[in-house]
Structures are given as structure tokens and as C-alpha cells.
Amino acid sequence: MIEVVFVARHGETEWNRLGRRQGQLDSPLTEDGLAQARQVAAVVSGLPVDGVFSSPLGRATATAGLCAEKLGMSVTIVEELAEVNHGQMAGLTSSEIEREFPGEMTRRAVDKYEWCFPGGESYAEVDRRSAVALWRIATYGVLRPLLVSHEMIGRMLLRNLLQVDPEVALTWDHPHDVIYRVDVASRVLSRVP
């Protein structure tokens, strides 16, 4: 049974810097993103991690690979750890979204959990997917896994682990250089210094 889960986000990407929504598209890590990933890996090397699991997207696997190398482990890809599918909005900036989908982001704000990206996913769907990801990871028999994923699905991973309301989880941010620790039995969330 999993005791502790460490959740990390990939380093900054070119599209993060440009304000483009990536979703399940990908862009490479920036120099800052590589530095963030190396910093996360350095911190992870001192943690009692017994398995490294990653989203299949390149920005996450690049970050997870650095972590696994420091730990002397390999990376296990879990498809369900992929970021929220942004559908037709993937690759667009906020101003491009407003031009192509007028008023849609205002509608999203009314019910962020159930609202669905056109041609993509809702947080509610990703919430269910994140529960499947956690179940899959538990089948590996690990006690203290590191999950390397993305900000949006990361909210739902933490929501499932902590059993909090979705509205609470949707307010959380996950900076690129932060590792969260969840003590599963006590449902306590902390940042790893």
C-alpha cells in the first residue's frame, strides 16, 4: 500500500513561456526549465522514492528522466498521467482563444470542474483518469512513488490523494520547481524544501 506520494511538475517549456496552452501537445523545456528539472532531480535524490512514474508527454519524461537518473532507477510511463486534453484550444494563447472561441473562458469560469475544452476533456473527466493513474501505480507495489506530470492533472491527483472537494483543488498552483509530498494515510500535503 502506498504510504507517501511525491508529485512533481515538469520544467518550464517554450510554450509555458509564450503563454500557449499545451494540453497533450508538447514543446521543449527552456534553459530555465532544464535548470528547474535538474533542481527537482537534486532534491528527489535525497528522498525515499522507490519508483518514478511519468506522463507520456516529452516535457514530463525529460524531467522524470533526470530524476530517475539521480535515483538509479528507470521511468515507468503511465498514460493516464498525461495533461488535460485541451482539444481545439491546444497551442493557442488566451487572446487567440478569445478570438476563436468568444466568451468560452467566461463560461468555463462558471463551472471549471464540469466545463469541457472543445474537442478535449473536463476536469471531471481528468479527475476520474487521475484515480485510474493512482490505482495503476499502486499495482507496482511501490510505497513512495514520484509522479512527474503537469499542473492541471496534478490538481486532480492531489485531490484524489487528499480527498478534498474539486473546488478546493482547482485553486491550487504547482510551480515548475516544487515537489509536493502527500502522506496518504493522514491526508497531509506539504512542500518538499
Side-chain angles (χ1 to χ4, degrees), residues 19-36:
R20 293 197 175 279
R21 293 184 179 271
Q22 292 173 110
Q24 294 184 0
L25 297 180
D26 226 340
S27 74
L29 298 180
T30 62
E31 284 302 315
D32 287 344
L34 284 168
Q36 291 161 345

Side-chain angles (χ1 to χ4, degrees), residues 9-19 22 27-37 59 63 175-177:
R9 183 181 177 196
H10 61 80
E12 178 196 61
T13 68
E14 295 291 341
W15 280 13
N16 289 143
R17 184 170 281 171
L18 295 172
Q22 292 173 110
S27 74
L29 298 180
T30 62
E31 284 302 315
D32 287 344
L34 284 168
Q36 291 161 345
R59 57 195 187 268
T63 303
H176 295 284
D177 57 353

